Amino acid sequence: RALPTSAGALRQRLRQCAERIPEAEAVLDLLEKCPEHQKKGSFPVIVFEGLDATGKTTVTQAVKDNLNGILLRSPPACISQWRTVFDDERTPIKRAFYAAGNYILASEIAKASTQAPVIIDRYWHSTAAYAIATETSGEVQDLPPAQDEVYQWPEDLLKPDLVLLLTVDPEERVRRLQHRGLEKTKEEAELEANSLFRQRVEESYRRMVNPACQEVDASPSKEEVLKTVLQLIKKHCAF
Ligand SMILES: Nc1ncnc2c1ncn2[C@@H]1O[C@H](COP(=O)(O)OP(=O)(O)OP(=O)(O)O)[C@@H](O)[C@H]1O
Ligand SMILES: Cc1cn([C@H]2C[C@H](O)[C@@H](COP(=O)(O)O)O2)c(=O)[nH]c1=O
């Protein structure tokens, strides 16, 4: 399978291509500086997941402001300048890059969660869901079965307290994509063109376990969605 599910496995993958791709060496250098088995601080760590244009950027910013939190994202800023290099690489290398981003992000989460609530725009569930959906074709029935290990959280990666999956109906999502009008990644283009791919990504999110995603209908107004999300955070996270 293309997705490495431990820090050791993804380091090995990046090492294999580091001679040819200098950016892989740079990612490895950053990984070396991250202690293994990061632990979170006493503040809650809340992740927002979902397909492109479901409203993650909008809601994470609003939640951050509301809770006086710290906003982080995957891939983290320190490696995002190399993203286009890896997006053009073969699938196993590209997936190793996104996986590495999560382990580097875990170091940032560990530190930030000692200071304030941490709000995250995409984390492991996105890395896994896009990888799983890309590796299969056809209908959701063709995905690995629900209990498969691909849906498990990596044992050595810091876990969040709450993962909220934002969903909107396909027509509203396309309206939001068009309204935004930014440059598309390959995955975004595929999501628009291929409704089966979109369904596979969303179903993969739903099958993730330990922690599982809690689904939020993000179709209402920005204010309504924020209200729902803040209620869920209050219910599930102790401050
Ligand atoms: N609840 C909402 N109602 C109407 N429009 C919304 C809502 N939330 C977000 N939008 C709009 O939809 C577009 C996409 O939102 P946003 O950028 O927050 O999504 P995203 O999930 O972060 O996308 P990506 O993953 O591609 O970065 C933006 O133009 C935003 O203003
Ligand atoms: C984090 C992450 C992202 N992707 C792909 C899938 C999406 O189409 C875009 C979205 O990125 P954005 O920064 O939220 O606009 O990137 C991926 O394949 N794997 C990942 O881990």
Side-chain angles (χ1 to χ4, degrees):
R1 276 175 173 159
L3 182 63
T5 54
S6 70
L10 74 90
R11 274 204 197 97
Q12 197 182 3
R13 180 92 52 85
L14 290 173
R15 241 177 252 128
Q16 283 163 357
C17 64
E19 235 174 78
R20 183 174 63 81
I21 311 169
E23 291 81 1
E25 189 67 59
V27 174
L28 276 167
D29 285 347
L30 285 171
L31 270 172
E32 288 304 323
K33 295 188 185 114
C34 301
E36 286 183 17
H37 298 282
Q38 295 282 343
K39 291 223 166 20
K40 71 174 215 61
S42 56
F43 285 93
V45 174
I46 304 145
V47 177
F48 288 82
E49 297 285 7
L51 296 175
D52 313 286
T54 48
K56 296 179 300 301
T57 308
T58 306
V59 83
T60 49
Q61 186 63 51
V63 172
K64 176 221 167 228
D65 292 344
N66 198 285
L67 300 182
N68 271 327
I70 297 172
L71 179 56
L72 299 173
R73 71 187 325 267
S74 182
C78 61
I79 63 165
S80 59
Q81 74 268 30
W82 302 313
R83 190 171 176 174
T84 49
V85 172
F86 288 94
D87 274 344
D88 289 339
E89 280 295 333
R90 287 184 302 113
T91 302
I93 297 171
K94 173 176 168 172
R95 295 300 163 206
F97 168 77
Y98 281 111
N102 289 308
Y103 283 86
I104 295 167
L105 179 62
S107 282
E108 298 180 6
I109 299 169
K111 192 170 164 220
S113 60
T114 63
Q115 296 161 3
V118 184
I119 317 304
I120 309 173
D121 187 341
R122 297 191 188 276
Y123 193 24
W124 182 263
H125 288 96
S126 275
T127 304
Y130 282 91
I132 296 163
T134 310
E135 266 177 52
T136 46
S137 56
E139 319 241 333
V140 289
Q141 289 91 312
D142 301 323
L143 287 169
Q147 310 305 328
D148 195 285
E149 62 181 20
V150 287
Y151 303 113
Q152 291 284 341
W153 190 267
E155 277 178 16
D156 57 352
L157 183 64
L158 183 150
K159 273 188 198 177
D161 295 293
L162 181 63
V163 185
L164 298 176
L165 172 64
L166 304 186
T167 57
V168 296
D169 62 67
E171 293 77 24
E172 170 63 8
R173 207 180 63 80
V174 169
R175 267 196 296 279
R176 291 185 190 181
L177 273 170
Q178 284 166 348
H179 185 249
R180 188 179 57 175
L182 293 177
E183 203 182 317
K184 297 183 194 87
T185 64
K186 267 188 211 159
E187 271 83 2
E188 281 169 336
E190 185 151 11
L191 277 173
E192 266 185 272
N194 185 342
S195 100
L196 286 179
F197 181 66
R198 192 183 65 239
Q199 288 169 37
R200 291 199 303 276
V201 175
E202 212 158 68
E203 179 60 21
S204 300
Y205 276 126
R206 292 192 178 107
R207 291 186 185 184
M208 300 301 298
V209 287
N210 196 22
C213 299
Q214 180 141 346
E215 198 164 328
V216 174
D217 177 12
S219 313
S221 69
K222 294 178 187 180
E223 295 73 21
E224 283 289 317
V225 175
L226 177 62
K227 198 170 142 202
T228 306
V229 159
L230 289 173
Q231 278 168 353
L232 283 167
I233 294 172
K234 204 168 164 195
K235 184 171 162 200
H236 291 279
C237 303
F239 279 84

